[in-house]
Amino acid sequence: MSGNRFDVLALGEVMLRFDPGEGRIRTARTFQVWEGGGEYNVVRGLRRCFGLRTGVVTALVDNPVGRLVEDLMLQGGVDTSLVRWTADDGVGRSARNGLNFVERGFGLRGALGASDRAHTAISRLRPGDIDWDEVFSRGVRWFHTGGIFAGLSDTTPQVAEEAMTAARRHGATISYDPNYRPSLWASRGGAARARETDLRLARHADVITGALGLAGDGPDTVPLTADEVPDALSAVNARLPQARVLATTMRAVRSAGVNDWSSAAWSAKTGFRTGPEMPGLQVLDRIGSGDGFAAGLVYGLLKYDDLDRALAYGAAHGALTMTTPGDSSMATLIEVEALIAGGSAGVRR
């Protein structure tokens, strides 16, 4: 499809992540910085691991912090030509760049995130700010967005819906990840409003990653057991009959450093399917693993149009994402395919 500029385009916020390593945020004296964001992490993984042409629609304040985020994005290979730069007022009264402080956790101490993202440049986007027909006329095979972007402000769900509607007009496949974050909705209607927004936007999607986030009475319901997942995905399908694929990760947390990891999906063509099971997976940093799963799933669907292969790529890539620090994958396609084929962690020389 050489006529397309982008294999996959995402809409979402990109924040500067501050990582205290093995320490705690509240006692840290130094931080490693990364870039990250739920929707962005997907296209970064698709670019760096899977070699697809990807871009992100986002907004940053034009100051040294925003340019640092841009520099990190450029290192990730994601096209930044659609970044909207907002003028800096000097102190961030009108708009600012998002910051995300994240502890990885250890043993019985779980991972912890403390985001500082109110009034960010992208949260101020409104319908009509972006000419989506012009964006999609460049050629986009796949468009991805999700509930983190939708939860940023009262206007971002409208922007997401505008973008998804344009993507449909231009023939792009659309994916959506509910990706519920309680902190984004705490003062804006809580879980009930998040669920209402997610269902409205997910009706535009062909593929829903994190589909279990739309099961049950709300996004903060009790986690499901593996035996309950098939019926839960069937219930999501009844709510969203237009969706071609519903996919989800499944995780049992033994400790911050040991998770049981697997995945499942449903499609009209295959019915319910399960991905590879990885019990007792050793975890260095779990943040971004769901986005890593989504990237592998999208790659498998784009390249092979095969749900079983897509689940395998998603599970393997998500697992490898948990073996390195930061939101983003550092895995290679060779490593992903070796893991799918049953490879071990033995030294390669």
Side-chain angles (χ1 to χ4, degrees), residues 1-9 53-58 78-84 129-142 166-167 169-172:
M1 306 263 321
S2 59
N4 292 315
R5 177 172 177 180
F6 298 111
D7 293 309
V8 185
L9 181 69
R53 296 162 300 176
T54 67
V56 62
V57 179
T58 193
V78 177
D79 187 293
T80 60
S81 64
L82 294 173
V83 174
R84 287 175 56 90
D129 284 350
I130 296 172
D131 184 345
W132 290 108
D133 284 316
E134 194 280 329
V135 169
F136 286 106
S137 69
R138 305 179 185 202
V140 178
R141 296 175 65 191
W142 191 295
R169 283 197 302 271
H170 289 265

Side-chain angles (χ1 to χ4, degrees), residues 5 24 26 70 82 101 121 129 165 176-178 185 231 235 271 311-312 348:
R5 177 172 177 180
R24 305 296 306 271
R26 65 189 184 202
E70 179 196 35
L82 294 173
F101 296 81
D129 284 350
T165 301
Y176 185 83
D177 189 340
W185 296 95
D231 288 341
L311 279 174
R348 294 192 302 276

Side-chain angles (χ1 to χ4, degrees), residues 1 43 63 67 72 74 81 83 129 173 187 210 225 229 255 287 295 326 331-332 335:
M1 306 263 321
V43 290
N63 62 21
R67 292 297 175 178
L72 293 165
L74 290 169
S81 64
V83 174
D129 284 350
T173 300
S187 61
T225 66
V229 172
S255 72
I287 306 300
T332 67
E335 291 170 336

Side-chain angles (χ1 to χ4, degrees), residues 296-315:
L297 182 86
V298 171
Y299 174 77
L301 292 174
L302 269 174
K303 186 171 178 65
Y304 300 107
D305 191 25
D306 182 297
L307 186 56
D308 289 319
R309 292 184 78 163
L311 279 174
Y313 276 103

Side-chain angles (χ1 to χ4, degrees), residues 211-226:
L212 283 187
L214 297 175
D217 297 328
D220 55 356
T221 52
V222 176
L224 300 173
T225 66

Side-chain angles (χ1 to χ4, degrees), residues 142 194 196 253 283:
W142 191 295
E196 176 189 350
V253 178
V283 175

Side-chain angles (χ1 to χ4, degrees), residues 38-59:
E39 297 85 7
Y40 165 81
N41 294 339
V42 176
V43 290
R44 192 189 192 282
L46 283 163
R47 175 67 188 92
R48 293 296 288 164
C49 179
F50 297 105
L52 300 188
R53 296 162 300 176
T54 67
V56 62
V57 179
T58 193

